[in-house]
Amino acid sequence: MARRAAFLAGAGAAALAAGLALAQAPGPAPEPHRTITSPESGRNYATPETLAIQDDDFQNPAFLWVEEGEQAWNHPAGSAGQSCASCHQDATASMRGVRARYPAYNAAKGRVVTLEQQVNICRTERMGAPELRIDSRELNAMTAFIGLQSRGMPMNVDISGPARPFFDRGEEFYNTRRGQLDMRCGSCHEDNYGRSLRADLLSQGMSNGFPTYRLKEQRVISLQFRLQGCVNDVRGEPPAMGSEEFTNLEFYLAWRAQGLPVETPSVRR
Amino acid sequence: MMQATTLGRRGALAAAAGLVGLSLLPKPAAAQMEPATAAAIRKIIGERTPEEGRVQLRLPPIAENGNTVPLTVTVESPMTAADHVKAVHVFADKNPTPDVATFRFSPAMGRAQADTRIRLGQTQDVIAVAEMSDGKLYISRAEVKVTIGGCGG
Amino acid sequence: MAAPIGQPRVRLPAQIKAGEVIEIRTLISHIMETGQRRNQEGQIIPRDIIKSFTCTFEGQPVFSMDLHPAISANPYIAFPFKAERAGNLEMVWTNDAGEQRKLTQAVRLAE
């Protein structure tokens, strides 16, 4: 008995020493804390009428955008005379899983980029085409089309290695109180999901359905357009769409939704 | 009412006439209808009196967002050349303008139904008036609560 | 300048039996500007909507709809059709400026 306790104590000391060594030398960052351990999709917070529109690919108006995105995929744009398909061929094969792992660290850029930004990198650097404005109809059509190819696949972003500092900044943004209402993102989406804010049922704020057809806007919207709305709602000054702040936040949000199936293009109120 | 102030005396008279006309509509379908809605209905059916029934509105009792509210209208009818629905007119009582849609039907449809999605500016009644091939008119109404969300963004 | 009218989507069931009442579903991309909104300078944005939809079968009227600004953007319209024989459905969407989108859809009957 005594011998065993002594052995355990020894093991503990060894682990402690190892931990101290880790803290001093550069090594893998600690696993981040997950406030919501079993995330729920926004569809769990939608009415049956809204879900009926999402669950029928014909009724879902976002498929008007998907079809435009598919046409653009195969259509050459820019001075290089290339289309997306010139490099990536059949999107149903080449884009499968892409939405699930974005935003992602781009080594050449030395930062995390969103799917929208990656499309624009392709356009400017490969196709000789101008950037598409974030949240423009053309760009939302393209990301809806690309996103659809991952529908049903679990969200799976990689926050390790060089991506980690961007993740940490996104987490910090998430947890920073802002606006005249002095609220953090989690004030609604962690502390109060399942409760009503006036007539709106607060969701967990999961991003797995974006881009989404929003009933209010009656169009497909990008995640960062919605994020601007959230910051406005707490009477804050939202960062620009495509800004570093929102890109890092989008990266953190994707990790929060880790494991949830991609629902792009979803329908939300 | 707004009509009376913007249209002047003649408008006020017309609105009043609309209100009088309301008494011809069966209750509860005629209950508490805005003058503009009554006038819009009169414009289509004149002084004829619709009966309750046969036309059905299917709408969510609570709309998640008033900009996109799914609507289905059905009418009980054999839809034969001799006996069919000619048209269904849909109105939103408290929208800025009450007209929503007119569906024109034919026996070639086999069944009297139409589906679309509508905008409702606030909690209100949606009203459907069906015109049958024998000249009969039917009316029904359904209330939709339009929620004011906390998430304006 | 009128807002663009997108390519319509129309769907019929994959298999249609003679005499069957099928559902025809349509969706078209359009902003359905009500004429009641204001732009950032405070000016009214002029009304610009799809104002009518018609469907005929071999030239005979089947179904039509007058649309008002209370119809949501990207109008969804569905209605039944009794498929007695094979032939062509023609559908036409018309905006306030009189511009049209037409689509012809063949009805084929299963043996």
Side-chain angles (χ1 to χ4, degrees):
Chain A
M1 192 69 180
R3 227 171 97 173
R4 192 157 170 223
F7 170 76
L8 282 174
L16 190 66
L20 285 173
L22 275 179
Q24 278 149 16
E31 187 63 18
H33 173 65
R34 211 165 174 179
T35 309
I36 294 175
T37 49
S38 47
E40 282 183 279
S41 166
R43 68 172 290 132
N44 295 19
Y45 297 84
T47 63
E49 290 84 8
T50 303
L51 289 182
I53 300 174
Q54 174 174 330
D55 289 344
D56 176 344
D57 288 352
F58 187 81
Q59 275 199 54
N60 183 346
F63 276 80
L64 295 166
W65 276 253
V66 168
E67 285 179 0
E68 288 173 21
E70 184 173 14
Q71 279 169 18
W73 178 268
N74 294 303
H75 193 269
S79 55
Q82 306 269 301
S83 70
C84 304
S86 306
C87 288
H88 299 289
Q89 283 93 33
D90 178 6
T92 59
S94 62
M95 292 296 115
R96 194 174 148 70
V98 169
R99 163 70 178 86
R101 59 183 169 79
Y102 265 81
Y105 183 73
N106 181 315
K109 297 283 168 200
R111 60 182 167 87
V112 162
V113 297
T114 61
L115 189 52
E116 281 89 344
Q117 289 166 336
Q118 185 56 55
V119 169
N120 275 334
I121 289 170
C122 281
R123 286 179 62 88
T124 53
E125 297 182 9
R126 309 270 172 189
M127 298 163 71
E131 280 195 0
L132 296 172
R133 191 172 48 78
I134 304 292
D135 198 52
S136 63
R137 184 175 179 110
E138 292 79 6
L139 192 47
N140 289 342
M142 183 56 72
T143 53
F145 171 66
I146 293 172
L148 174 67
Q149 313 311 324
S150 303
R151 190 161 64 169
M153 297 175 76
M155 294 282 287
N156 186 27
V157 292
D158 180 5
I159 63 166
S160 68
R164 184 57 188 262
F166 300 92
F167 170 89
D168 289 340
R169 272 174 246 159
E171 182 179 38
E172 192 188 337
F173 187 102
Y174 188 92
N175 288 313
T176 302
R177 290 179 175 277
R178 64 190 69 248
Q180 291 178 325
L181 300 188
D182 195 32
M183 287 162 81
R184 44 185 275 280
C185 304
S187 303
C188 285
H189 298 295
E190 288 179 349
D191 305 344
N192 283 297
Y193 63 82
R195 293 207 178 110
S196 289
L197 184 65
R198 298 180 76 177
D200 278 341
L201 184 60
L202 287 169
S203 75
Q204 293 180 348
M206 294 297 169
S207 59
N208 56 310
F210 282 84
T212 188
Y213 188 85
R214 194 164 189 227
L215 301 182
K216 181 189 172 191
E217 254 71 42
Q218 301 167 86
R219 68 172 179 93
V220 168
I221 62 163
S222 63
L223 178 61
Q224 296 196 6
F225 175 84
R226 186 68 194 85
L227 295 178
Q228 284 201 323
C230 281
V231 178
N232 281 326
D233 282 344
V234 301
R235 312 271 185 273
E237 284 280 347
M241 291 187 281
S243 64
E244 207 181 311
E245 290 105 306
F246 267 170
T247 298
N248 294 337
L249 177 61
E250 181 168 343
F251 189 38
Y252 174 72
L253 294 179
W255 173 84
R256 271 181 96 236
Q258 206 84 300
L260 284 178
V262 171
E263 278 178 43
T264 308
S266 66
V267 178
R268 297 288 182 264
R269 64 172 179 256
Chain B
M1 297 262 97
M2 214 169 79
Q3 257 75 16
T5 54
T6 53
L7 297 182
R9 195 174 134 84
R10 282 172 77 177
L13 284 172
L19 280 173
V20 173
L22 274 184
S23 61
L24 298 172
L25 299 175
K27 287 180 178 175
Q32 297 167 334
M33 195 183 286
E34 296 289 327
T37 312
I41 295 176
R42 285 282 162 244
K43 204 174 148 193
I44 287 166
I45 67 170
E47 292 310 308
R48 292 179 293 163
T49 307
E51 293 171 38
E52 289 279 335
R54 285 188 74 171
V55 56
Q56 268 204 337
L57 278 164
R58 199 156 68 236
L59 289 148
I62 300 173
E64 249 193 323
N65 188 283
N67 276 343
T68 313
V69 184
L71 167 138
T72 300
V73 289
T74 53
V75 190
E76 282 172 51
S77 165
M79 292 304 275
T80 59
D83 182 3
H84 59 269
V85 184
K86 285 173 70 178
V88 177
H89 311 276
V90 180
F91 307 90
D93 194 31
K94 289 186 176 160
N95 268 7
T97 54
D99 296 293
V100 174
T102 288
F103 303 107
R104 292 179 214 289
F105 290 176
S106 78
M109 292 168 71
R111 197 173 73 225
Q113 180 175 329
D115 298 73
T116 191
R117 298 198 274 249
I118 69 170
R119 293 166 169 155
L120 296 174
Q122 55 174 299
T123 292
Q124 59 182 298
D125 282 5
V126 176
I127 298 161
V129 177
E131 288 186 79
M132 315 299 277
S133 56
D134 64 2
K136 281 200 167 145
L137 298 166
Y138 293 92
I139 189 167
S140 78
R141 62 198 287 165
E143 191 194 37
V144 181
K145 287 195 163 64
V146 177
T147 61
I148 310 287
C151 309
Chain C
M1 208 182 74
I5 312 177
Q7 276 306 307
R9 303 178 90 205
V10 170
R11 188 156 300 172
L12 270 50
Q15 291 276 314
I16 304 169
K17 292 193 277 282
E20 188 184 352
V21 177
I22 60 166
E23 188 181 39
I24 298 173
R25 304 197 293 166
T26 74
L27 189 65
I28 192 162
S29 168
H30 197 273
I31 191 166
M32 295 294 281
E33 189 61 59
T34 62
Q36 282 155 354
R37 297 198 311 159
R38 287 175 189 278
N39 64 16
Q40 293 191 328
E41 285 78 47
Q43 297 149 326
I44 292 273
I45 306 169
R47 179 184 131 148
D48 181 2
I49 68 168
I50 299 282
K51 65 172 180 180
S52 84
F53 168 79
T54 63
C55 174
T56 55
F57 179 71
E58 296 294 318
Q60 296 298 307
V62 174
F63 169 87
S64 70
M65 177 176 173
D66 300 341
L67 295 81
H68 294 278
I71 299 298
S72 308
N74 309 310
Y76 171 75
I77 307 168
F79 52 95
F81 172 64
K82 191 169 186 183
E84 305 270 24
R85 59 194 170 95
N88 283 327
L89 290 160
E90 177 156 304
M91 290 172 232
V92 183
W93 291 257
T94 307
N95 72 4
D96 279 333
E99 296 163 352
Q100 297 190 323
R101 278 286 175 284
K102 292 184 187 175
L103 186 142
T104 304
Q105 172 76 48
V107 176
R108 293 188 189 86
L109 301 180
E111 292 309 314

